[in-house]
Amino acid sequence: MNILDSITRDKIKEVELRKKLIPKKQLEQSVLFQRETISLADKLRQSTSGIIAEHKRRSPSKSVINSSLNVFDVAIGYQNAGVCGMSVLTDGKYFGGSLDDLLTSRASCRLPLLRKEFIIDEYQILEAKAFGADVILLIAAILTKDDIKALSEFSKSLNLEVLLEVHNEDELDKSIMPSLDMLGVNNRNLKTFDVSLETSKTLSALIPDEFIKVSESGISNVDAIKTLRTYGYQGFLIGENFMKTEDPGTNAKAFINKLDN
């Protein structure tokens, strides 16, 4: 069993437990459930940098990245840096995140927030809405085509945007549908953890122009972004490169300044 299978297996159990603890109606009565969402897709279209900065404490591939930072400070730092949006890991067991991280980020910044999670159930999308997200992530590797359609359409009914993540051509083929806003190519193979920007380059020509193209993982320098832009990418999700420093916001700002020069 690879790590993706393990995460998905554990997530099924976790979601069933959470459903018993917090009913759907309680989520729908959240103060944040009625807030007007912010469009990450629009921000990316208008941006000169396209940076989506991530808050991530650890990962299965890198163990601890940074466990000492306060998510409130990270969110403010990212906003001051001028990023387009913020990705917040909410998986606890494998990434050290929580829904409270999403809630704290929402309280501290006005950025579009992406709930980065292994979503397998509509319940998690209700959680995303109730805790202040603007965008949800769907991972093609763990979902069927029917799953992607149902979950993305449910998200749109809640005015949440959808970033669909793929790793190869087969996943992309089953995923293209009008209920998506952005198509992300993860340069990290979630089964082996190998990283290659060639994945983004290869798949770019297969992604229809109506979708915002987002490249994820393994982006550690300005030259990588300049190269990926020539392949039509407008969004670049960067987490580890900023989070491994003592001040992610300051490093994000320096990165963006270098990119714009």
Side-chain angles (χ1 to χ4, degrees):
M1 182 178 290
N2 61 51
I3 188 65
L4 195 56
D5 292 335
S6 298
I7 292 173
T8 305
R9 178 198 60 196
D10 289 342
K11 193 61 58 178
I12 291 170
K13 296 176 183 176
E14 177 190 321
V15 172
E16 288 308 308
L17 177 59
R18 295 183 73 90
K19 283 180 177 180
K20 294 174 183 176
L21 294 173
I22 304 176
K24 289 182 180 180
K25 285 187 177 180
Q26 188 172 329
L27 292 173
E28 292 168 347
Q29 290 168 358
S30 160
V31 173
L32 292 174
F33 206 85
Q34 301 304 323
R35 66 177 280 271
E36 186 174 341
T37 52
I38 310 165
S39 172
L40 176 59
D42 285 348
K43 295 281 188 183
L44 292 175
R45 288 189 187 97
Q46 298 160 8
S47 173
T48 56
S49 74
I51 302 297
I52 305 166
E54 189 161 86
H55 179 269
K56 177 166 63 173
R57 291 187 180 87
R58 65 174 188 262
S59 73
S61 62
K62 295 289 183 179
S63 188
V64 176
I65 297 168
N66 196 328
S67 59
S68 63
L69 296 174
N70 185 315
V71 66
F72 189 94
D73 296 331
V74 173
I76 291 174
Y78 281 157
Q79 179 170 276
N80 291 340
V83 304
C84 291
M86 179 175 174
S87 169
V88 183
L89 263 296
T90 61
D91 174 79
K93 181 174 181 178
Y94 295 91
F95 291 87
S98 71
L99 278 166
D100 283 343
D101 289 337
L102 184 60
L103 192 64
T104 301
S105 300
R106 179 75 288 148
S108 55
C109 75
R110 299 179 302 279
L111 293 169
L113 296 181
L114 164 70
R115 182 188 186 187
K116 196 170 185 187
E117 180 58 89
F118 297 83
I119 290 180
I120 52 163
D121 192 289
E122 288 184 358
Y123 182 84
Q124 294 163 286
I125 300 172
L126 289 173
E127 286 182 323
K129 180 76 171 177
F131 281 78
D134 302 282
V135 191
I136 59 122
L137 176 75
L138 296 180
I139 301 173
I142 63 173
L143 300 169
T144 67
K145 182 174 184 177
D146 287 342
D147 290 335
I148 294 168
K149 184 175 188 297
L151 292 171
S152 60
E153 288 179 353
F154 183 68
S155 298
K156 301 302 287 184
S157 75
L158 297 177
N159 292 318
L160 293 173
E161 289 186 333
V162 181
L163 169 62
L164 190 284
E165 176 181 294
V166 300
H167 301 83
N168 55 50
E169 188 173 344
D170 287 341
E171 291 175 9
L172 181 60
D173 286 343
K174 75 175 182 182
S175 303
I176 295 173
M177 57 188 71
S179 45
L180 308 177
D181 300 282
M182 295 158 278
L183 273 163
V185 178
N186 194 335
N187 300 303
R188 176 176 285 112
N189 185 316
L190 292 183
K191 296 179 180 178
T192 65
F193 295 128
D194 293 337
V195 178
S196 173
L197 294 183
E198 293 303 314
T199 308
S200 281
K201 295 175 185 179
T202 301
L203 294 182
S204 63
L206 305 176
I207 300 174
D209 290 338
E210 61 260 34
F211 300 108
I212 297 284
K213 298 179 187 179
V214 179
S215 186
E216 310 170 20
S217 299
I219 302 170
S220 58
N221 58 65
V222 166
D223 289 341
I225 288 181
K226 290 181 176 179
T227 298
L228 289 168
R229 279 178 175 169
T230 66
Y231 287 84
Y233 287 91
Q234 293 173 277
F236 309 93
L237 196 150
I238 302 176
E240 184 184 325
N241 196 53
F242 299 147
M243 285 298 296
K244 67 184 179 183
T245 68
E246 292 183 4
D247 191 338
T250 297
N251 281 273
K253 187 171 185 176
F255 190 97
I256 290 171
N257 288 340
K258 189 176 180 181
L259 185 60
D260 289 339
N261 292 330

